[in-house]
Amino acid sequence: MTYDTKINMDEFVMGVKLLRWHLVSKAGGEVLEVASGTGRNLGYYNYGGGGGGVSGPMGWLAGLLGWRSKESVVTKLVLTDKSEEMVKTAKDKVSTMGLRANIQIDVGDGSDLSRFADNSFDTVVDTFGLCSFDDPVKVLLEMQRVCKKDGGKILLIEHGRSNYWEWLDNVLDEGKDQHVEKWGCEWNRDIDKIVSDSGLLVDSRSKWHFGTTSVIHGRPKQRADEAR
Ligand SMILES: C[S@@+](CC[C@H](N)C(=O)[O-])C[C@H]1O[C@@H](n2cnc3c(N)ncnc32)[C@H](O)[C@@H]1O
């Protein structure tokens, strides 16, 4: 069973696909997605007229629901992940989905985006990456560095401890090692603290699944050396 097959049904039942669609509908211009995995967000970007993605009926629906603004057309999409296997799957997915947009996919570490200049992307996306990075704050700092200080957006969906339901956080703490072994992610991380330590400016934050999933719309702090 592939990684995608394993998590497809879970994501459907938990409404995660809707969260992805809603978040990614806000991405526009030159977009960088870090830790892009198998490219599970590829189908939710709006690549404009002939590019594929959600420019058909789903795009119309996203517009109707007010999820999308005029700027949310992706002119260039760069996906990067440190796993060669994930990158290969994402590349295959671009072909299978028939996406004709300007999409580049490479292998790279999210904590070192030095191949990208400061202020170079209009939108920087990460979904379910902060639980997996060795140094999640460093990745958020890099995401902020490459995101345009003037009008750039940072869009996140992350999971971690609820910081509210003690019983639930205890379950996450107790099952952490097993979960790391199975999925390579620490599901009990404190996402609010990681985000705050990185200095990211948060415009909106919503919590789902008893507070364990956070959807964050943010912007880079104004100087790369403002935190840490
Ligand atoms: C839980 S998966 C999420 C994948 C994808 N973003 C999604 O929403 O389905 C975590 C991903 O982070 C990647 N990853 C872990 N550490 C990384 C790092 N330092 N730099 C880039 N990618 C990393 C893994 O290879 C994996 O694809």
Side-chain angles (χ1 to χ4, degrees), residues 54-70:
V54 289
S55 36
M58 274 170 75
W60 176 81
L61 185 59
L64 192 74
L65 293 169
W67 288 3
R68 174 179 291 171
S69 62
K70 275 193 192 126

Side-chain angles (χ1 to χ4, degrees), residues 8-187:
N8 256 339
M9 185 50 78
D10 286 356
E11 288 208 352
F12 177 74
V13 172
M14 302 283 283
V16 171
K17 285 170 182 269
L18 275 175
L19 294 180
R20 288 181 185 276
W21 181 21
H22 184 249
L23 183 89
V24 168
S25 295
K26 302 287 187 302
E30 301 207 356
V31 179
L32 172 69
E33 185 179 331
V34 299
S36 46
T38 59
R40 296 186 63 79
N41 295 323
L42 275 168
Y44 302 117
Y45 289 102
N46 173 23
Y47 305 104
V54 289
S55 36
M58 274 170 75
W60 176 81
L61 185 59
L64 192 74
L65 293 169
W67 288 3
R68 174 179 291 171
S69 62
K70 275 193 192 126
E71 314 89 69
S72 50
V73 171
V74 174
T75 52
K76 176 181 170 186
L77 176 63
V78 180
L79 301 188
T80 181
D81 193 283
K82 82 166 188 190
S83 155
E84 283 185 25
E85 204 183 327
M86 293 280 190
V87 163
K88 187 186 173 307
T89 307
K91 284 183 175 169
D92 291 346
K93 213 176 263 182
V94 170
S95 315
T96 317
M97 291 170 73
L99 298 175
R100 295 168 304 283
N102 180 4
I103 301 175
Q104 295 166 19
I105 310 182
D106 73 3
V107 177
D109 192 323
S111 63
D112 177 10
L113 300 174
S114 52
R115 61 198 181 283
F116 304 117
D118 295 1
N119 299 308
S120 49
F121 291 96
D122 299 286
T123 313
V124 184
V125 176
D126 173 49
T127 58
F128 304 108
L130 296 182
C131 54
S132 302
F133 303 135
D134 291 340
D135 188 342
V137 173
K138 196 168 176 196
V139 176
L140 277 179
L141 287 169
E142 275 294 82
M143 289 172 64
Q144 293 178 79
R145 181 185 63 75
V146 300
C147 185
K148 289 182 182 169
K149 301 287 172 288
D150 186 9
K153 288 185 263 194
I154 296 186
L155 305 176
L156 308 172
I157 305 179
E158 305 295 346
H159 73 131
R161 60 196 313 105
S162 75
N163 282 334
Y164 185 81
W165 301 102
E166 204 180 330
W167 63 269
L168 180 53
D169 290 342
N170 288 340
V171 170
L172 297 180
D173 288 341
E174 275 159 29
K176 185 194 97 175
D177 291 344
Q178 214 180 348
H179 197 76
V180 169
E181 201 168 310
K182 187 170 178 200
W183 295 106
C185 98
E186 291 188 16
W187 65 356

